[in-house]
Amino acid sequence: MCGIVGYIGSEQAAPILLDGLTRLEYRGYDSAGVSIHDGHKLNVIKTKGRLRILSDMIDGGNSVHGVSGIGHTRWATHGKPSNENSHPHVSNSGNIAVVHNGIIENYLQLREFLTSRGVKFNSETDTEVVAQLVDYYYDGDLLKAVHRAIDRIEGSYALGIMAAYYPDMIVAACKDSPLIAALSEKGNFIASDVTAVLKHTRDVIYLEDGEYAVLTPESVDVFDSFLEPVEKAVSHIDWDISSAEKGGYEHFMFKEIMEQPEVIRKTMAPRIRNRKVILDDIQLSKEYIKGINKIYIVACGSSYHVGMVAKYNIEKLARKPVEVALASEFRYCTPIVDEKTLVVCISQSGTTADTIAAMREAKRLGGRVLSIVNVVGSTIAKESDDVIYTWAGPEIAVATTKAYSTQLAVTYLLSIYLADCCGTINADEYERLVGELLTIPDKIECILKDKEHIQYLASLYFNNRDIFFIGRNIDYALSLEGSLKLKEISYIHSDAYAAGELKHGTISLVEDGTLVIAAATYQRLLEKTISNIVEVKARAAQVLSVTTESGKGLVAQVSDNMMVIPDIDELFLPSLAVVPMQLFAYYVALLRGCDIDKPRNLAKSVTVE
Ligand code: G6P
């Protein structure tokens, strides 16, 4: 969470920082600020609220002059969103300014230490101790002062630091929080994410944990944790800024929903050759795969929901036991992992703090980590034994859609691949499944063509107060995602239940008119699900079902309304069925006037525990 950007060069810094921050707002948007060096001193402008408030305060950056600066957009952890708690934080002398992403875990001890030496604090944040500590240690060398301060810090950080004494220097450092440096003719940058700098350059350096970068208008020098110089490779980003822009759509979420057929093709096509699943990306030997004793899938949020689908599919196809764990639980539940355990970490961003920690714990216990990640070069991708990239391109809306869909596609490929290695599917079945897999993008296109019908359904139900999702097996995994999508962007209370479980308590909440969204795509259990639908109908619920062409005859008899998807092999149903659910959530949120791309209290990249 929190977005950092810094620029030093020949152009006015403030407009560049504001533009970069706009692209990082997905990381947090409760306050924003910049610190610009005017050649003599640091000028700090910061405010509670969205970036546009900051932008208005400084006339889009035109009223603050200077060619170097750092900026920040915040997702509050320590201290409520307020002007004082906004970044940059400045030391008492006004000489050191800091922007930070992460958490300084020992900030209370450091605060006490500094207070006992006469330092006065102006905010409730953990970050302020960094600014004060760097100032405290400063004796003529900024990099050394930062190094000494970091030596005393415990926790995670990506830092951008400027000093009044150095109009032409930014110092950056990171540990367990992403940070890149970027190089261009007109100056150099730091940022939490490449999207913030893509307008200016595609040449980036990924900073590793414990590294420092010193930026001047002409150079970027990187040092290791002992301040020894490090030679870093410059990576060239090959996607361009248009993929991070709305392209005529009203919301990023809608654009990303519409992009799904294309990105799924991109994810699958290079990995299916001559109707064979080829996973060149990974180095798992057939012997290793055969010997796997257990697969753990570890993730958070929607990525966890992908894991739920993958569990059903891997167990069904490859006959290996799969446990799906929330990353925040996995690390504290004494997991049973050994060298025969494959731990699959799923993460769009590759920077989710809990998933990183779970991955490290899995490795410490001797497991082999295979990650499914979207952001190339992210922490999880770098530290895993194997990585399969989802290639969804940049996903900007906080509520994930296309990243979820490409993650699903990768898990299908993986399930078939594992099953083939384990000899648990025969050649005909293999070929049939690969054929079915390839039909997913076209079938999603069909569903997207019918979006007006889903918009109409949203208009019937957008005023509901509580909505329950039910489904069995793979439909249950799907319901979890459908429910999350709806609640995160529309703020309607919603929960998902295994359809057979509803009667063990939650059915007491169903009353006249309560909307139940029934996922009824899984043909094998259709009759069971229909029985559960009938149970809620008997309590006067309204039922909106998601079903298939071949299921719709039966399902229509017990539903008030339906969203119908094309038929496909049962393993891949969630890829189709999630699309009407995403659209339903989107249109409901639209009708309720919600801020769809930036729902309240959320952030896309959750880099705190
Ligand atoms: C946040 C996002 C979710 C996402 C989750 C896990 O909560 O809002 O959309 O599913 O983090 O993120 P990851 O990047 O690890 O997939």
Side-chain angles (χ1 to χ4, degrees), residues 2 24 32 46-47 71 157 201 206 224 230 259 346 417 422 427 435 439 445 448 457 462 500 522 536 601 604:
C2 300
L24 295 179
K46 57 186 191 174
T47 178
Y157 52 82
T201 177
Y206 291 98
D224 68 12
V230 185
E259 279 172 3
I346 308 179
Y417 185 81
C422 294
T439 67
E445 261 159 19
L448 291 173
L457 294 172
F462 76 100
Y522 189 58
V536 296
N601 303 339
K604 189 156 190 70

Side-chain angles (χ1 to χ4, degrees), residues 279 282-284 296 298 342-346 359 367-373 380 384-388 410 414 417-418:
L279 294 182
I282 61 176
Q283 310 290 324
L284 301 181
Y296 252 120
V298 184
L342 179 66
V343 180
V344 179
C345 292
I346 308 179
M359 169 192 65
R368 186 175 176 114
V369 175
L370 184 160
S371 63
I372 298 173
V373 175
I380 294 174
S384 303
D385 298 301
D386 295 284
V387 53
I388 308 180
V410 169
L414 186 64
Y417 185 81
L418 294 177

Side-chain angles (χ1 to χ4, degrees), residues 145-156:
V146 173
H147 187 249
R148 282 190 76 186
I150 282 182
D151 207 36
R152 298 207 54 183
I153 285 171
E154 285 162 23
S156 58

Side-chain angles (χ1 to χ4, degrees), residues 300-303 346-350 352 355 398-400 407 485 488 603-606:
C300 302
S302 295
S303 299
I346 308 179
S347 175
Q348 186 283 129
S349 61
T352 302
T355 314
V398 166
T400 178
Q407 288 169 344
K485 235 25 18 162
E488 66 183 338
K604 189 156 190 70
S605 169
V606 181

Side-chain angles (χ1 to χ4, degrees), residues 88-289:
H89 287 284
V90 181
S91 62
N92 285 161
S93 68
N95 287 332
I96 303 290
V98 171
V99 288
H100 168 223
N101 167 31
I103 288 186
I104 310 298
E105 285 166 3
N106 59 339
Y107 84 106
L108 285 174
Q109 290 101 297
L110 293 172
R111 208 172 154 117
E112 236 170 66
F113 163 78
L114 289 163
T115 307
S116 71
R117 279 152 180 81
V119 174
K120 297 240 168 334
F121 280 83
N122 304 307
S123 76
E124 303 157 283
T125 65
D126 53 338
T127 304
E128 193 184 345
V129 298
V130 182
Q132 306 286 16
L133 208 54
V134 172
D135 203 347
Y136 179 78
Y137 285 130
Y138 182 76
D139 64 0
D141 185 328
L142 180 60
L143 179 60
K144 282 206 176 120
V146 173
H147 187 249
R148 282 190 76 186
I150 282 182
D151 207 36
R152 298 207 54 183
I153 285 171
E154 285 162 23
S156 58
Y157 52 82
L159 293 164
I161 302 175
M162 292 191 77
Y165 325 101
Y166 298 90
D168 52 5
M169 185 189 288
I170 296 174
V171 174
C174 67
K175 179 177 158 277
D176 296 339
S177 282
L179 195 62
I180 57 134
L183 303 92
S184 84
E185 302 256 291
K186 62 181 183 193
N188 297 314
F189 302 81
I190 53 166
S192 305
D193 177 348
V194 288
T195 50
V197 300
L198 272 187
K199 198 169 173 183
H200 311 284
T201 177
R202 308 235 189 120
D203 293 329
V204 306
I205 294 173
Y206 291 98
L207 296 174
E208 309 280 338
D209 279 0
E211 286 182 343
Y212 295 77
V214 175
L215 280 75
T216 69
E218 300 82 27
S219 60
V220 175
D221 294 311
V222 180
F223 302 89
D224 68 12
S225 55
F226 301 105
L227 295 190
E228 293 296 326
V230 185
E231 277 296 317
K232 295 287 288 187
V234 177
S235 309
H236 190 74
I237 304 295
D238 57 9
W239 42 268
D240 65 29
I241 192 78
S242 63
S243 35
E245 285 180 342
K246 276 190 210 157
Y249 290 102
E250 196 181 342
H251 296 101
F252 278 112
M253 182 179 177
F254 193 70
K255 173 183 177 241
E256 289 160 4
I257 289 173
M258 300 303 284
E259 279 172 3
Q260 289 179 111
E262 181 197 328
V263 291
I264 293 173
R265 275 187 201 108
K266 253 185 161 171
T267 302
M268 293 198 311
R271 291 161 174 149
I272 300 179
R273 284 177 244 147
N274 298 325
R275 297 183 88 80
K276 275 266 160 213
V277 175
I278 315 276
L279 294 182
D280 293 339
D281 332 44
I282 61 176
Q283 310 290 324
L284 301 181
S285 68
K286 209 169 180 175
E287 288 61 47
Y288 173 82
I289 291 172

